[in-house]
C-alpha cells in the first residue's frame, strides 16, 4: 500500500467531519428507491404451468395467490421481454421471467460516511450503526456500496497508465452487520481488492489450523476487534473488559474474532449469559456457539 494522501472535504465547513476523520461524504437518500428486478428461467417439470402458478408456488412467502394476480395484471412481469398481463399464460421451456418490484420507501438509515484513512489503493471508512454495507432485503439502495457509487472519485494522475486495474469506485472487501459501527476497508483497485480479501480469508483458514493464540496473531495480516456493551455480571469469556458501568449493570468490552461467522459475537456472548444490550434476537436458550457459526473461547 502507498503512503496516506489527504483528500478535500465533500461537505460544507459548518458540517465539518469529526475529529480524526480526513473528510466526510454522503448523498441524502431519496424518499423511494428505484425498485428491483428479479429474473428467473422457467424449467418445465412435465405438467403445464401458468404464469401465476409459477410465481405463487415458487415465491409463496413474497405474496399470496391474489397478490401475484394483481402484480401480473399491473404489468410488473415480463416474459421473454414482453409484458405479460394474463395470469393464465402458459409458460414455455426456457422462458425468461422478470418480476419488476415497484419502488418502496426503505427504513431509515444514515447516509454520511467518515473517511479515516485513504491512499491510492484503499480507503478506511467509519461505518455508522444502522447502515447496511451491501444490498439485502428491504435495504436495496440505502447502503455503503450505494454511497461509494454516488461519490465522484478523483483518480490520481498516476493511474492513467494502469486504468484497466482501477475500479470506478471503491468496493467493500468485508462486511459489518447493519447494527454494528466501526472500521470498514474498501479497495480502490482490483489488486488491492484481491489482496485484502486474501488477508481476511487467511484469518478464517488459519483459525482452523492452530489454537496457539500468540502464533495465530503473529501470522495474521489483519486483526479484527469489536467493542460491545453487554448486560449482566462481568464477562468471563475470552474478552477484554474495558469499563464496568455498575450503575447500569452493564460492561463495555472489546472482542477479537478470528473468523467472520454470521452474528458470531452476538451468539457467543448470549450463550455465556452476557447478551448485547437491546439484542432481542439471540437468547442463551436458542443459540449454541459451538455450531457451524464458530467456536467460543473462554478464559
Amino acid at each position: 500500500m502507498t503512503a496516506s494522501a489527504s483528500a478535500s472535504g465533500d461537505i460544507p465547513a459548518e458540517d465539518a467531519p469529526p475529529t480524526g476523520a480526513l473528510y466526510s461524504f454522503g448523498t441524502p437518500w431519496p424518499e423511494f428507491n428505484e425498485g428491483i428486478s428479479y429474473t428467473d428461467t422457467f424449467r418445465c417439470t412435465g405438467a403445464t404451468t401458468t404464469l401465476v402458478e409459477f410465481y405463487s408456488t415458487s415465491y409463496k412467502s413474497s405474496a399470496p395467490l391474489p397478490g401475484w394476480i394483481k402484480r401480473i395484471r399491473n404489468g410488473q412481469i415480463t416474459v421473454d421481454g414482453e409484458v405479460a398481463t394474463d395470469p393464465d399464460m402458459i409458460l414455455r421451456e426456457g422462458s425468461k421471467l422478470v418480476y419488476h418490484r415497484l419502488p418502496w420507501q426503505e427504513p431509515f438509515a444514515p447516509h454520511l460516511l467518515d473517511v479515516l484513512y485513504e491512499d491510492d489503493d484503499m480507503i478506511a471508512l467509519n461505518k455508522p450503526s444502522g447502515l447496511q454495507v451491501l444490498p439485502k432485503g428491504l435495504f436495496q439502495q440505502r447502503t455503503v456500496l450505494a454511497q461509494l457509487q454516488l461519490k465522484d472519485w478523483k483518480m490520481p494522475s498516476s493511474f492513467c497508465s494502469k486504468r484497466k486495474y482501477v475500479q470506478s469506485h471503491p468496493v467493500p472487501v468485508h462486511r459489518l452487520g447493519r447494527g454494528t459501527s466501526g472500521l470498514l476497508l474498501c479497495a480502490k483497485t482490483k489488486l488491492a481488492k484481491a489482496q485484502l480479501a486474501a488477508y481476511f480469508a487467511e484469518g478464517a483458514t488459519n483459525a482452523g489450523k492452530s489454537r496457539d493464540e500468540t502464533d495465530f496473531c503473529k501470522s495474521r495480516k489483519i486483526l479484527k476487534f469489536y467493542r460491545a456493551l453487554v448486560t449482566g455480571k462481568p464477562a468471563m469469556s475470552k474478552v477484554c473488559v474495558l469499563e464496568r458501568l455498575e450503575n447500569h449493570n452493564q460492561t463495555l468490552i472489546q472482542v477479537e474474532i478470528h473468523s467472520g461467522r454470521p452474528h458470531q459475537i452476538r451468539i457467543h456472548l448470549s450463550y455465556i449469559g452476557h447478551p448485547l444490550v437491546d439484542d432481542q434476537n439471540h437468547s442463551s436458550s436458542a443459540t449454541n456457539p459451538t455450531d457451524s457459526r464458530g467456536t467460543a473461547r473462554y478464559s
Side-chain angles (χ1 to χ4, degrees):
M1 301 300 175
T2 60
S4 174
S6 177
S8 58
D10 283 13
I11 59 176
E14 59 269 21
D15 296 323
T19 303
L22 299 179
Y23 63 95
S24 299
F25 71 92
T27 301
W29 306 117
E31 183 177 2
F32 293 92
N33 62 24
E34 299 177 352
I36 188 173
S37 297
Y38 302 89
T39 303
D40 288 283
T41 299
F42 175 69
R43 298 303 179 190
C44 183
T45 58
T48 300
T49 304
T50 65
L51 184 60
V52 71
E53 287 174 340
F54 172 80
Y55 278 104
S56 62
T57 56
S58 300
Y59 301 99
K60 294 180 181 179
S61 60
S62 177
L65 177 61
W68 280 112
I69 292 176
K70 181 179 180 180
R71 292 173 179 180
I72 294 172
R73 289 176 175 168
N74 282 346
Q76 292 178 241
I77 295 176
T78 61
V79 178
D80 295 327
E82 300 292 331
V83 176
T85 57
D86 181 9
D88 297 321
M89 174 184 181
I90 303 299
L91 297 178
R92 296 176 299 180
E93 170 69 20
S95 291
K96 182 180 179 181
L97 313 177
V98 181
Y99 162 53
H100 303 274
R101 182 177 178 180
L102 299 176
W104 71 92
Q105 188 175 35
E106 298 184 9
F108 170 81
H111 69 276
L112 284 178
L113 293 167
D114 298 328
V115 177
L116 305 181
Y117 174 84
E118 183 175 10
D119 60 24
D120 289 348
D121 298 289
M122 61 173 284
I123 185 171
L125 304 175
N126 182 18
K127 188 193 84 67
S129 175
L131 181 61
Q132 194 153 292
V133 176
L134 300 176
K136 183 180 180 181
L138 291 176
F139 295 91
Q140 294 296 320
Q141 184 177 51
R142 300 186 177 189
T143 64
V144 172
L145 179 62
Q147 288 295 348
L148 292 172
Q149 293 171 333
L150 290 170
K151 178 175 165 52
D152 182 19
W153 295 93
K154 306 300 183 182
M155 186 173 67
S157 57
S158 60
F159 279 5
C160 294
S161 61
K162 47 183 179 181
R163 187 178 298 271
K164 65 179 182 178
Y165 301 110
V166 180
Q167 301 167 143
S168 59
H169 58 82
V171 295
V173 294
H174 64 108
R175 301 189 188 189
L176 289 177
R178 184 166 64 88
T180 303
S181 62
L183 200 64
L184 181 70
L185 302 184
C186 303
K188 288 184 174 182
T189 67
K190 296 177 181 178
L191 177 60
K193 179 183 177 181
Q195 189 63 72
L196 289 170
Y199 288 159
F200 279 103
E202 182 181 56
T205 300
N206 290 340
K209 296 180 179 178
S210 173
R211 281 329 205 185
D212 187 290
E213 185 175 4
T214 302
D215 292 340
F216 182 80
C217 291
K218 287 182 178 179
S219 66
R220 299 180 65 192
K221 303 295 191 303
I222 295 178
L223 298 177
K224 295 184 286 183
F225 294 89
Y226 290 75
R227 292 186 178 183
L229 193 63
V230 299
T231 60
K233 300 177 182 181
M236 298 302 292
S237 60
K238 191 74 173 183
V239 297
C240 176
V241 176
L242 300 179
E243 183 179 2
R244 291 186 173 90
L245 309 175
E246 297 181 358
N247 292 338
H248 300 281
N249 193 31
Q250 297 174 345
T251 306
L252 181 64
I253 64 172
Q254 176 171 286
V255 184
E256 179 186 11
I257 63 172
H258 294 163
S259 58
R261 309 298 186 211
H263 310 297
Q264 176 177 326
I265 293 175
R266 299 174 185 272
I267 293 173
H268 287 175
L269 290 175
S270 177
Y271 182 80
I272 61 175
H274 302 289
L276 292 177
V277 172
D278 295 331
D279 185 4
Q280 304 296 325
N281 298 321
H282 300 89
S283 63
S284 58
S285 61
T287 56
N288 186 338
T290 58
D291 62 11
S292 59
R293 298 167 194 169
T295 302
R297 308 181 96 189
Y298 308 106
S299 59

